[in-house]
Amino acid sequence: MASNSAKWPYKAHDITIGRGIQYGMLDLMGGGWNNIVSGVIFAYLTLAQGFNPAIAGSIAAAGRIVDCVWNLFLGLITDNFYKTKLGQKFGRRHFFMAIGLVLFACVFPLFWISSTSWVYYLVVYIAMEIIIAMMIVPWECLPTEMTRDYSQRTTLSGSRMVISATGTALVFLILAALKQAQNPNAYLIAGIAWTVLFVVAIGISTFGTWERPLTKEFIEELNSRPKQSVGEVLKDSIKGYADTFKNQAFRTHLAVYLLSFTGKDFYSTLLPTFIACCISGAGDSWPWTFQAMSILGIPMTIWCARLMITHGPKFLFRLSYVSILIAMIAYVAVWAMGIHNPFWIFLIVSIIYQCGRATLEFTPWNLFPFMPDVDYIMTRGDRAGLYASVMTFFRKSTGAIATWVAGILLELTGYKADTMKNFDTTPHNVQVGIVLVFFLGTSILIAWALWLSRHIYLDRETHGVLKAEIERLEEGGDKKDVSDEARKVAEELTGHPYEKLWPDLDKNGRPIEQI
C-alpha cells in the first residue's frame, strides 16, 4: 500500500529559499483571489453588468457561506484520502491540488463572460469557491508534511506572505492597465490574464512540493487515529469553537480582528462605486490603480515585523487604524469640497490607506501564535489548530456578511447600477447615500476596533511572564507559589481566577475540571 517515495508527490528535497517560493506560489492565487472577492466582483456585477447591489452582494455572500461549510468537510476528506488508489498514487493532498488546477483553468474565465442572468454568476461563483478551497485546504497542510524543522517551516510560511501581497498588487495592476487603455472587454481580458497567471502559480506549487510518503509505519499511524463521522466532526468543531470564547485574550483579539478586517471589506467593496459615482472627473482605472498601491504591503510588512518587537501590537493596531481613519476622512473631504479630477490627492490618500491596511493585516496573525499559550495554561491542551480554524471560519463568515450588507445599504440609498454609471448620471441625494455607506461602514468598524484594541494585554512582555509560569508549573512547581506578577498576567489574559487555571489531569491525561 505504500507509495514510491522517489517519485512525485512523495520525493522530498532540501528546503531552500527557492523551495519556499515554489511552495508559496499558490498564494499568488490565494491573495489575488481574496482581493478579487472583496474588491472586484461587486464592482464588476454592478458597474459592468448592471445588477442591483443587493443581488451582487448576495452572490458574493452565498459563495463565501458555501466555502465555510465546504471547508469543514474538505479537511476530513483529504485526511482520509490515502485509503484510495488515487490518493496513494497522486497523494492525499496533491490529488486535490492537481484536480483543482484543471477545474480552475476551465471555470475561472467563465465568470468574466457577460450575462444578464444573476443565476449564472451565482453558480459559477460558488463553483469557483469550491474549486479554490480544493487547492487551498490541502496546500495549507503541506508545511507540516514537508518538514518537521521549525526554521524550515518558517521559510515556507515567510515566502507565502510576500507572494500573497504580490498577487494582490498584480490583480489590480492588470485591471488598472486595461481600464486606463479604455478596453471595452477589460474584465474579460483581465479574467483570462488572471487565469493564466494563477494557473502557472498553482502548477509551480503543485509540482514543486511534496507530502509525507505513505510508508507502512505512517499508514499504521494514520489508521490508529480515532475515526470520526462527519456528524461527530461537526459536533466537535462546534464545541471546540465555543471553548475558545472562554479565553479572554482570544475574545478580544478575535473581535479586533473581525471588526478591522470587515471594515477593510467595506472599503474594498464600495471604493469603486464611490469613485465612479461621486467623484467628478474620475477615470475608470482609478479604483484599481489606488488598490494596486497594496504593493507597498511588502516593505510595510518588513517594517511592521521590527515594530512588533520594539513597540508591540497595541502600537501597530493604533498606527493602522489611525492611518485608515485619516484616509477615510480625506476621501469624504475631497467629495464634500467638490474637487474635480483629484487623482493625485487620492493617490496620496490611498498610499496612506494601503500602509494602514498592510499593518492591519500583519498584526493579528503575528499576535495569534501567542494565543495557544493562554489556552494552554487554562486547559493544558495543544489546540493551536482549533484557534486558527476559529479565526478563519469567522473571518470568511464576516467577509460574506460585509459584502451582503454593503449591497443592501447601497440599494436603500436609491442607487441603480444599470443607470448610475458615473458622476454625471448619479443624483446628488444618491451620492450622499453612497458616501455615507462608504464612510460610515468602514469608519465605524475601524473606530470600534481601535477602541477595543486598548484591551489587548498580550504582548512580548506579558507573554514572557506567562511562558515562565507555564514552564515553572510543567517542572512540578506548586500553584500556591505563584508570584503576584504571574498571577496578575495570567488572570488578565485568561479572564479567570488563577486557582482555576492549570487543572489537574486524570490517568488519561485529560483535565479533571474544565473552565
Side-chain angles (χ1 to χ4, degrees):
M1 190 174 179
S3 293
N4 187 349
S5 60
K7 296 181 179 179
W8 177 86
Y10 299 109
K11 185 177 180 180
H13 302 270
D14 293 334
I15 294 182
T16 61
I17 296 297
R19 287 288 172 185
I21 292 172
Q22 285 185 321
Y23 165 77
M25 284 300 290
L26 192 140
D27 217 25
L28 192 79
M29 179 274 295
W33 170 244
N34 283 332
N35 283 278
I36 288 172
V37 170
S38 62
V40 177
I41 285 180
F42 186 84
Y44 169 67
L45 292 174
T46 54
L47 296 175
Q49 301 304 322
F51 290 106
N52 282 339
I55 293 176
S58 299
I59 290 172
R64 279 288 153 125
I65 292 169
V66 170
D67 181 46
C68 288
V69 177
W70 172 230
N71 277 315
L72 292 175
F73 295 97
L74 191 55
L76 181 65
I77 293 170
T78 63
D79 281 346
N80 292 283
F81 200 65
Y82 70 94
K83 297 176 182 178
T84 69
K85 290 184 177 179
L86 288 173
Q88 293 160 27
K89 183 173 182 180
F90 298 107
R92 59 181 181 149
R93 314 294 188 191
H94 284 80
F95 173 81
F96 291 94
M97 293 171 66
I99 293 296
L101 169 62
V102 175
L103 293 176
F104 181 88
C106 297
V107 174
F108 190 77
L110 299 179
F111 190 81
W112 311 105
I113 296 174
S114 182
S115 173
T116 58
S117 171
W118 65 267
V119 176
Y120 170 81
Y121 289 110
L122 175 64
V123 171
V124 176
Y125 180 65
I126 290 175
M128 288 195 302
E129 286 283 15
I130 291 172
I131 292 166
I132 289 170
M134 283 176 61
M135 297 179 286
I136 291 287
V137 170
W139 172 75
E140 288 180 332
C141 298
L142 292 182
T144 303
E145 301 208 18
M146 291 171 69
T147 178
R148 293 182 175 179
D149 183 80
Y150 178 83
S151 60
Q152 290 181 348
R153 287 181 183 175
T154 301
T155 298
L156 296 174
S157 60
S159 302
R160 169 186 178 177
M161 292 180 68
V162 174
I163 291 170
S164 178
T166 305
T168 298
L170 286 174
V171 160
F172 293 125
L173 284 170
I174 290 170
L175 188 52
L178 290 166
K179 285 289 188 178
Q180 183 65 38
Q182 297 184 336
N183 192 306
N185 298 309
Y187 284 104
L188 176 59
I189 296 172
I192 294 171
W194 293 334
T195 303
V196 173
L197 181 67
F198 293 160
V199 164
V200 171
I202 296 165
I204 291 172
S205 281
T206 300
F207 298 104
T209 56
W210 59 93
E211 56 191 85
R212 189 173 169 185
L214 290 171
T215 62
K216 181 180 178 181
E217 293 75 18
F218 185 39
I219 291 172
E220 290 176 354
E221 177 188 330
L222 290 170
N223 289 334
S224 67
R225 295 176 182 176
K227 303 295 187 297
Q228 287 186 301
S229 66
V230 172
E232 289 172 332
V233 169
L234 290 175
K235 181 180 177 181
D236 287 349
S237 296
I238 293 171
K239 183 181 183 300
Y241 284 11
D243 282 347
T244 63
F245 285 90
K246 298 175 182 178
N247 182 335
Q248 180 167 285
F250 182 70
R251 287 200 305 270
T252 305
H253 178 263
L254 184 65
V256 170
Y257 170 68
L258 294 179
L259 286 169
S260 54
F261 272 63
T262 307
K264 177 175 70 76
D265 288 338
F266 260 91
Y267 171 91
S268 299
T269 300
L270 297 171
L271 179 69
T273 307
F274 165 72
I275 291 177
C277 297
C278 302
I279 302 301
S280 175
D284 288 345
S285 66
W286 284 24
W288 322 116
T289 302
F290 301 147
Q291 293 277 49
M293 292 300 102
S294 58
I295 193 71
L296 295 171
I298 297 174
M300 197 68 192
T301 297
I302 298 171
W303 189 47
C304 286
R306 186 175 181 180
L307 289 176
M308 187 75 168
I309 297 172
T310 59
H311 290 71
K314 272 188 182 180
F315 174 82
L316 285 177
F317 278 128
R318 289 168 183 167
L319 178 66
S320 166
Y321 301 147
V322 170
S323 299
I324 292 173
L325 289 172
I326 289 173
M328 296 306 300
I329 292 170
Y331 281 125
V332 175
V334 169
W335 168 78
M337 290 185 287
I339 299 175
H340 179 75
N341 192 19
F343 176 84
W344 292 106
I345 298 175
F346 273 8
L347 185 64
I348 294 170
V349 172
S350 296
I351 288 173
I352 295 172
Y353 173 85
Q354 292 298 340
C355 287
R357 178 203 58 79
T359 307
L360 179 156
E361 293 181 350
F362 170 89
T363 309
W365 280 106
N366 280 270
L367 182 60
F368 167 76
F370 300 133
M371 293 296 161
D373 286 336
V374 181
D375 180 78
Y376 184 56
I377 200 170
M378 293 168 57
T379 66
R380 300 179 72 170
D382 180 10
R383 307 198 298 178
L386 172 64
Y387 278 79
S389 296
V390 171
M391 284 187 66
T392 302
F393 177 83
F394 281 99
R395 165 68 189 123
K396 288 186 175 182
S397 300
T398 58
I401 293 170
T403 307
W404 179 56
V405 170
I408 291 174
L409 291 176
L410 274 189
E411 185 92 9
L412 293 175
T413 67
Y415 169 66
K416 303 295 182 183
D418 55 344
T419 58
M420 302 175 190
K421 298 290 187 180
N422 53 48
F423 178 84
D424 295 328
T425 59
T426 306
H428 181 71
N429 65 308
V430 176
Q431 288 184 19
V432 172
I434 293 171
V435 171
L436 286 175
V437 174
F438 173 63
F439 176 75
L440 294 178
T442 303
S443 299
I444 289 175
L445 293 172
I446 294 297
W448 193 356
L450 173 62
W451 182 78
L452 279 180
S453 67
R454 64 196 179 96
H455 296 295
I456 290 179
Y457 302 116
L458 186 57
D459 55 25
R460 191 180 183 186
E461 287 72 27
T462 56
H463 179 259
V465 174
L466 181 70
K467 192 71 172 175
E469 177 63 11
I470 289 173
E471 290 172 354
R472 186 185 72 83
L473 294 170
E474 285 179 328
E475 292 170 1
D478 196 318
K479 288 172 64 175
K480 295 179 181 178
D481 298 329
V482 60
S483 67
D484 291 340
E485 181 185 30
R487 174 187 289 273
K488 179 182 178 182
V489 167
E491 290 182 346
E492 280 185 342
L493 294 179
T494 64
H496 299 281
Y498 181 85
E499 287 70 24
K500 291 189 176 182
L501 306 179
W502 198 254
D504 293 329
L505 303 179
D506 62 19
K507 62 181 180 179
N508 296 316
R510 292 174 296 193
I512 295 174
E513 294 183 5
Q514 295 185 357
I515 291 176

